[in-house]
Amino acid sequence: RGMALVFIMLHISADSAGMIGSPALQRFALFLRERQTSLVQHIETEDGGALFEAHPWKRDADDPRDAGVGVMSVLEGGEVWEKAGVGFTVTGGKLTKARAESMSERGARAREGDRFAAAALSLVMHARSPRVPTFRADVRVFELHHDGKDPTMWFGGGADLTPSYLNEQDVTEFHRFWRDVCAAHSCADYAAFKAWCDRYFYIPCRGETRGVGGIFFDDLSTPGAESFACAVARAFMPSYFGIVARRRHEEYTDS
């Protein structure tokens, strides 16, 4: 399915002297790639009617630290999911002036030309049945290098639910699950991350949030941030599959 290509592509080319990002970022990127493989397998098993198609991509660069690689895996026409996508990316480069100014406004020590690297895993799942909520989730890391010093790393991510038919049991279960994930990590604040999610997905023209929320966090660099980000990635399917199992066989009409 093309997943093995990503491990090879991380090396950019046989002539590369290095890879994208620090060893710490490479380790996290490998974890994300493995999670993508696991997610694809579990979603295919749960769906039982369709397989993912992998679409690898690669961006070459004279300096391998400025390159990018990834794979987007897409499932269409399944028994449960009308369409689902699981994407993995790793990229590197140098900050533009605008990006450096934006980061500085958020408290980061960033300058134009500073080297960065980033890795991310994201997914969105849209079910065939309107009784099954849409699920979106991601985890990511951004790394900034300063004049040969140890890089600074920030982690982000989240998960949220968008039902067509509101069911209080599903909403309560979903939020309780993510509350418990946060409670296991001292760097995570469920109440703050839940409120952040509501703000992030607020739709001003409609005066409401998108869906029933979940958690959202960004720029997390306190001790334990990487461990929490990994826990979030591992919790994607456990937070959602119970709801899917409960709703997938409920009757609905096309009207």
Side-chain angles (χ1 to χ4, degrees), residues 2-3 21 23 25 61 64-65 76 80 86 96 99 109 124 142 148 155 171 194 205 226 235:
M3 294 297 138
L25 184 133
R65 296 175 297 176
E76 294 185 278
V80 179
V86 186
T96 63
R99 185 65 182 273
R109 184 169 61 87
V124 62
F142 189 89
F155 293 87
V171 176
K194 178 182 181 298
C205 65
E226 180 175 357

Side-chain angles (χ1 to χ4, degrees), residues 229-240:
C230 290
V232 169
R234 294 188 185 99
F236 287 163
M237 293 302 94
S239 76
Y240 180 52

Side-chain angles (χ1 to χ4, degrees), residues 90-155:
V90 184
T91 188
K94 294 182 178 179
L95 292 182
T96 63
K97 180 179 180 181
R99 185 65 182 273
E101 290 176 348
S102 176
M103 292 186 66
S104 297
E105 290 173 357
R106 289 158 53 191
R109 184 169 61 87
R111 299 175 302 180
E112 181 181 4
D114 281 350
R115 186 166 296 284
F116 73 87
L121 171 69
S122 61
L123 65 91
V124 62
M125 302 174 69
H126 182 76
R128 181 178 297 278
S129 168
R131 299 292 183 179
V132 178
T134 294
F135 179 63
R136 186 219 64 87
D138 76 294
V139 288
R140 57 195 179 273
V141 63
F142 189 89
E143 176 181 85
L144 194 60
H145 296 250
H146 309 283
D147 300 328
K149 298 179 181 178
D150 290 340
T152 303
M153 300 177 73
W154 295 273
F155 293 87

Side-chain angles (χ1 to χ4, degrees), residues 5-21 26 57-70 90-92:
L5 288 175
V6 181
F7 181 77
I8 297 170
M9 290 163 64
L10 277 170
H11 292 271
I12 309 302
S13 75
D15 299 326
S16 296
M19 295 170 65
I20 300 171
Q26 294 161 19
W57 61 270
K58 177 180 178 182
R59 186 188 73 222
D60 291 316
D62 293 336
D63 187 329
R65 296 175 297 176
D66 295 333
V69 293
V90 184
T91 188

Side-chain angles (χ1 to χ4, degrees), residues 4-228:
L5 288 175
V6 181
F7 181 77
I8 297 170
M9 290 163 64
L10 277 170
H11 292 271
I12 309 302
S13 75
D15 299 326
S16 296
M19 295 170 65
I20 300 171
S22 69
L25 184 133
Q26 294 161 19
R27 180 184 66 245
F28 188 73
L30 180 59
F31 165 78
L32 296 183
R33 185 193 69 83
E34 292 171 345
R35 290 309 306 162
Q36 184 191 34
T37 302
S38 177
L39 286 166
V40 163
Q41 293 171 348
H42 280 85
I43 295 168
E44 286 180 345
T45 299
E46 185 74 13
D47 185 86
L51 299 178
F52 278 87
E53 181 176 342
H55 303 276
W57 61 270
K58 177 180 178 182
R59 186 188 73 222
D60 291 316
D62 293 336
D63 187 329
R65 296 175 297 176
D66 295 333
V69 293
V71 61
M72 183 66 198
S73 292
V74 179
L75 178 150
E76 294 185 278
E79 290 295 320
V80 179
W81 287 284
E82 184 177 43
K83 192 167 187 177
V86 186
F88 163 75
T89 61
V90 184
T91 188
K94 294 182 178 179
L95 292 182
T96 63
K97 180 179 180 181
R99 185 65 182 273
E101 290 176 348
S102 176
M103 292 186 66
S104 297
E105 290 173 357
R106 289 158 53 191
R109 184 169 61 87
R111 299 175 302 180
E112 181 181 4
D114 281 350
R115 186 166 296 284
F116 73 87
L121 171 69
S122 61
L123 65 91
V124 62
M125 302 174 69
H126 182 76
R128 181 178 297 278
S129 168
R131 299 292 183 179
V132 178
T134 294
F135 179 63
R136 186 219 64 87
D138 76 294
V139 288
R140 57 195 179 273
V141 63
F142 189 89
E143 176 181 85
L144 194 60
H145 296 250
H146 309 283
D147 300 328
K149 298 179 181 178
D150 290 340
T152 303
M153 300 177 73
W154 295 273
F155 293 87
D160 58 272
L161 201 66
T162 304
S164 296
Y165 291 89
L166 184 63
N167 186 288
E168 292 296 339
Q169 180 185 5
D170 296 345
V171 176
T172 299
E173 178 182 298
F174 187 76
H175 281 284
R176 182 180 294 123
F177 183 96
W178 286 107
R179 181 200 63 191
D180 293 345
V181 171
C182 291
H185 297 267
S186 60
C187 65
D189 184 333
Y190 167 73
F193 292 173
K194 178 182 181 298
W196 200 343
C197 183
D198 290 340
R199 292 194 305 272
Y200 190 83
F201 292 112
Y202 182 74
I203 306 172
C205 65
R206 296 173 61 179
E208 61 184 26
T209 60
R210 189 192 73 186
V212 297
I215 63 168
F216 179 91
F217 63 99
D218 203 7
D219 296 338
L220 195 64
S221 60
T222 52
E226 180 175 357
S227 176
F228 174 63

